[in-house]
């Protein structure tokens, strides 16, 4: 599948196959980093992290204020806005980079795009009430991710007869809903949701069969960085998942991913460059 450039609130995201897959850096805006250093301090820290990721070659920075870890508490609209808006504003002011807002809440989508976000990354694929309308109003690209259930309970007992078919059908249905709501098809991206209500083997099947998702005609985003399936396969603690994450990300590229969401931007950018060089050897 050939893609051109996506227009993200004035900035271009080049997804053509003559360039390496793009890296989306993860910027964590969780309460810990907010402790009592005050808003200014944490915004400053986030800005520094963003600048480092840009230097390391990120094409997009994903800013999220809701934890989707299993068991994490729900966050109110106001809390989420308080966490993400100052950070989006400061990145937008100081840097030239596409900012993605990781949210499921319509109000946060609207305010984030007003503050400078150029992409919506929704792990609930615009299923929250009002999300389709809000995303449509903003006009920015939207990543639709598959998640079985809700973060709090999704890992309790994941079961699928055919995980690839179920996830692909779900994404096709969400694409249809978006288009019925007036969202142009060419602003949509898809993501099978590695780690969201899936066992290790489900996640591996999704990677192995990722190429089937190219039939949906949308750019593919994959997030595998430091996830528990990688730790489980390697039997390593959380801080020793880099090599496994890079190997998995490289395979995702081989199987058709256009964007890789990652914590370790520099290493991931090296990996996508190597993937791209090998893919284009002799041409
Ligand atoms: C350590 C650190 C272990 C982080 C696990 C995690 C995806 C996503 C997340 C994804 C898209 C995460 C917001 C989960 N994962 N968005 N978001 N795709 N599109 N867990 O795979 O990073 S949060």
């Amino acid at each position: 599948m050939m893609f051109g450039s996506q227009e993200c609130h004035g900035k271009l995201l080049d997804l053509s196959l003559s360039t390496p897959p793009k890296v989306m850096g993860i910027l964590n805006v969780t309460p810990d980093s907010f402790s009592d250093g005050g808003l200014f301090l944490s915004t400053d820290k986030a800005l520094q992290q963003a600048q480092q990721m840009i230097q390391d070659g990120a094409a997009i920075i994903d800013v999220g204020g809701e934890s989707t870890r299993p068991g994490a508490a729900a966050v109110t609209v106001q809390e989420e806005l308080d966490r993400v808006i100052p950070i989006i504003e400061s990145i937008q002011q100081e840097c030239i980079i596409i900012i993605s807002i990781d949210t499921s809440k319509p109000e946060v989508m609207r305010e984030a795009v007003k503050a400078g976000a150029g992409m919506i990354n929704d792990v609930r694929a615009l299923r929250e009430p009002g999300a389709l309308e809000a995303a449509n109003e903003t006009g920015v690209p939207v990543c639709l991710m598959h998640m079985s259930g809700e973060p709090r309970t999704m890992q309790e007992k994941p079961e699928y007869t055919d995980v690839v078919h179920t996830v692909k059908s779900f994404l096709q249905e969400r694409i249809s809903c978006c288009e019925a709501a007036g969202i142009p098809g060419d602003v949509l991206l898809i993501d099978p949701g590695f780690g969201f209500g899936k066992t290790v083997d489900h996640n591996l099947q999704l990677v192995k069969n990722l190429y089937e998702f190219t039939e949906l005609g949308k750019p593919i985003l994959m997030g595998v960085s430091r996830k528990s399936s990688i730790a489980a396969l390697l039997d390593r603690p959380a801080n020793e998942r880099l090599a496994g994450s890079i190997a998995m990300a490289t395979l995702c590229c081989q199987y058709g991913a256009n964007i890789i969401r990652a914590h370790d931007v520099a290493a991931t950018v090296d990996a996508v460059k190597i993937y791209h060089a090998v893919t284009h050897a002799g041409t």
Side-chain angles (χ1 to χ4, degrees):
M1 192 66 195
M2 284 287 273
F3 302 106
S5 286
Q6 299 248 357
E7 212 259 28
C8 303
H9 204 154
K11 292 162 192 140
L12 286 185
L13 177 62
D14 179 9
L15 296 178
S16 62
L17 294 182
S18 57
T19 61
K22 297 300 170 288
V23 174
M24 169 190 267
I26 301 168
L27 188 63
N28 262 320
V29 194
T30 41
D32 299 7
S33 60
F34 254 71
S35 54
D36 48 23
L39 224 83
F40 179 74
L41 198 73
S42 36
T43 302
D44 200 57
K45 233 176 90 182
L47 182 61
Q48 277 177 39
Q49 261 191 80
Q51 282 164 334
Q52 183 65 54
M53 291 197 283
I54 293 165
Q55 207 178 314
D56 291 343
I60 309 165
I61 292 178
D62 194 35
V63 179
E66 182 208 10
S67 177
T68 45
R69 277 169 197 271
V75 178
T76 66
V77 173
Q78 196 56 53
E79 277 179 291
E80 211 177 304
L81 288 170
D82 291 344
R83 288 180 191 178
V84 300
I85 299 302
I87 287 165
I88 293 171
E89 282 173 346
S90 89
I91 298 172
Q92 172 70 4
Q93 216 155 66
E94 303 293 329
C95 312
I96 299 173
I97 184 97
I98 296 165
I99 303 163
S100 158
I101 176 67
D102 157 19
T103 191
S104 298
K105 296 185 177 71
E107 301 88 340
V108 179
M109 292 174 188
R110 287 200 181 85
E111 294 306 313
V113 174
K114 272 188 216 159
M119 180 181 287
I120 294 167
N121 175 27
D122 185 3
V123 299
R124 293 181 185 79
L126 305 182
R127 285 179 292 163
E128 288 293 297
L132 281 166
E133 294 75 13
N136 191 18
E137 282 167 30
T138 68
V140 302
V142 183
C143 179
L144 305 169
M145 198 196 78
H146 174 270
M147 170 165 61
S148 166
E150 271 293 302
R152 202 171 53 79
T153 54
M154 66 186 179
Q155 289 304 102
E156 279 172 13
K157 199 167 186 277
E159 278 186 74
Y160 302 85
T161 309
D162 179 343
V163 68
V164 175
H165 178 263
T166 301
V167 172
K168 198 175 159 189
S169 302
F170 170 88
L171 292 173
Q172 180 59 259
E173 187 262 342
R174 295 314 301 157
I175 290 168
S176 301
C177 282
C178 286
E179 293 179 352
I183 300 175
D186 64 2
V187 304
L188 300 176
L189 298 94
I190 54 169
D191 184 332
F194 187 101
F196 285 84
K198 287 132 189 149
T199 63
V200 173
D201 191 62
H202 292 142
N203 290 320
L204 296 176
Q205 285 185 61
L206 288 169
V207 172
K208 184 179 178 180
N209 298 287
L210 193 62
Y211 211 76
E212 285 197 33
F213 290 84
T214 62
E215 290 165 14
L216 298 177
K218 310 297 180 195
I220 298 172
L221 193 155
M222 275 295 269
V224 301
S225 184
R226 300 184 189 173
K227 285 189 179 171
S228 63
S229 287
I230 289 173
L233 289 163
L234 303 175
D235 192 21
R236 288 191 190 281
N239 63 339
E240 292 173 20
R241 299 180 190 185
L242 178 59
S245 298
I246 294 300
M248 195 66 85
T250 309
L251 283 162
C252 290
C253 292
Q254 178 83 53
Y255 288 126
N258 302 96
I259 303 170
I260 301 294
R261 182 180 180 274
H263 299 86
D264 305 282
V265 172
T268 310
V269 168
D270 281 358
V272 300
K273 282 183 183 169
I274 297 297
Y275 158 76
H276 186 257
V278 172
T279 299
H280 289 263
T283 67

